[in-house]
Amino acid sequence: MTTVPPASSAPGTASSNRVVDRAVAAIEAIIAERGLTPGARLPSERAMVAMIGTSRGSLREAIGRLSAAGRLSVGPRGTTIAAPLAARWAEGTIAAPLGARIAADPGYGRDVLEVRQGLERQAAFHAARRALPADRDHIRRCFDAMIDSHGSGDAGDEAQADAAFHLAIARASHNAVLHSVMSSMFGLLRSSISDSLEKLYTVPRTFEQLSDQHRRLMETILAGDAEAARDASDAHIQFVETTIRGIDEERARQVRAAALHAPSIPQDRQKSRS
């Protein structure tokens, strides 16, 4: 649990500023330890007062500072993590327009996979080089949660756990732009993964292969082997792309075969309808 020493009761602006500074640092620590991403809600004010060990006034001032800096957003739902400027730009100019296109034409999902490969191979490479102990712990927890989500019967839950694992790696890259872009595309990424999972799990033993790939990716990052981590990321995305392409081709073949055997409408009936 993140704590800071209780605020001193001594008056004075300097002392008050130090208390608020500690509260700001403690809030940032909570965000980091819990792996909170844009849109996630912070604990309640009462809970954070107990966790941090400060007064409500100091806590509110700390939240105000972080809100003014664009780190937090205070609204009817409470205090949430605000998307960074880069993430808001990417959400408005990339993710939002593409979401409608992907919904109308699933073929765009292959384009998403290409983008994922480019982003995630870099994230894996830099995460292996830069991950701190807290980053490694977060990646492990996300991996365990992803494995536990299997068998829930909800592809959406599995997709969210899968995306969270990959975003944990992006955060561990300590590349603010890379992490911001991937975070802003979380919904798009999650939709892509959900569509992929629904297709992939129609193939026997696919879960075991995906689990092995994710484990390999995690282990190479934890070992600090940047080249192997990048290769593991590439192998994973290529497997997903190849498997989905095979599923799509087989489904298209079945549709064509069904069309050939469908009863045809006599020409005189076609004329009567026209």
Side-chain angles (χ1 to χ4, degrees):
M1 178 182 296
T2 302
T3 61
V4 295
S8 170
S9 59
T13 303
S15 176
S16 176
N17 285 339
R18 286 196 296 271
V19 171
V20 176
D21 288 343
R22 290 201 299 273
V24 168
I27 293 171
E28 290 283 17
I30 290 171
I31 294 171
E33 289 172 3
R34 298 191 176 196
L36 301 179
T37 56
R41 194 186 312 183
L42 281 176
S44 68
E45 185 178 278
R46 178 181 298 179
M48 284 200 292
V49 164
M51 294 168 67
I52 295 173
T54 190
S55 67
R56 289 198 176 212
S58 295
L59 176 66
R60 289 170 180 170
E61 188 171 345
I63 290 174
R65 284 191 192 178
L66 290 168
S67 178
R71 183 73 168 114
L72 300 178
S73 177
V74 181
R77 293 179 59 243
T79 302
T80 58
I81 311 301
L85 180 60
R88 293 197 296 271
W89 173 85
E91 170 65 26
T93 60
I94 300 175
L98 286 178
R101 291 178 179 271
I102 290 174
D105 182 358
Y108 279 100
R110 295 178 185 174
D111 292 342
V112 175
L113 284 173
E114 287 185 4
V115 174
R116 280 188 60 192
Q117 182 167 17
L119 292 173
E120 292 184 26
R121 72 193 310 265
Q122 290 300 315
F125 179 85
H126 292 302
R129 297 175 58 198
R130 301 170 180 168
L132 302 174
D135 297 319
R136 298 189 185 97
D137 289 341
H138 185 214
I139 291 172
R140 287 192 193 94
R141 289 196 301 271
C142 288
F143 175 81
D144 291 339
M146 181 174 54
I147 298 300
D148 291 342
S149 70
H150 178 61
S152 66
D154 188 334
D157 286 347
E158 296 191 51
Q160 184 164 354
D162 193 316
F165 171 72
H166 289 286
L167 287 174
I169 294 172
R171 193 181 77 171
S173 73
H174 291 273
N175 182 313
V177 175
L178 177 60
H179 184 222
S180 293
V181 171
M182 286 191 64
S183 294
S184 72
M185 296 180 69
F186 186 90
L188 186 64
L189 179 61
R190 183 171 57 196
S191 298
S192 169
I193 292 174
S194 180
D195 182 62
S196 301
L197 289 177
E198 291 176 1
K199 293 179 179 178
L200 288 173
Y201 287 132
T202 64
V203 180
R205 299 188 63 212
T206 299
F207 173 72
E208 288 78 5
Q209 291 174 283
L210 290 172
S211 297
D212 289 343
Q213 292 163 16
H214 284 134
R215 188 181 300 278
R216 172 64 177 167
L217 177 58
M218 176 183 68
E219 290 176 345
T220 53
I221 290 172
L222 299 184
D225 191 336
E227 296 290 347
R230 184 164 56 190
D231 291 344
S233 179
D234 284 345
H236 169 57
I237 299 298
Q238 288 169 4
F239 169 81
V240 172
E241 182 179 14
T242 300
T243 306
I244 290 178
R245 182 184 295 112
I247 294 171
D248 287 343
E249 290 174 354
E250 178 58 28
R251 287 182 177 177
R253 186 178 297 109
Q254 291 175 1
V255 170
R256 291 195 301 271
L260 287 175
H261 294 89
S264 58
I265 301 176
Q267 290 187 354
D268 58 342
R269 290 180 60 188
Q270 290 182 4
K271 291 179 181 179
S272 65
R273 290 183 179 182
S274 60

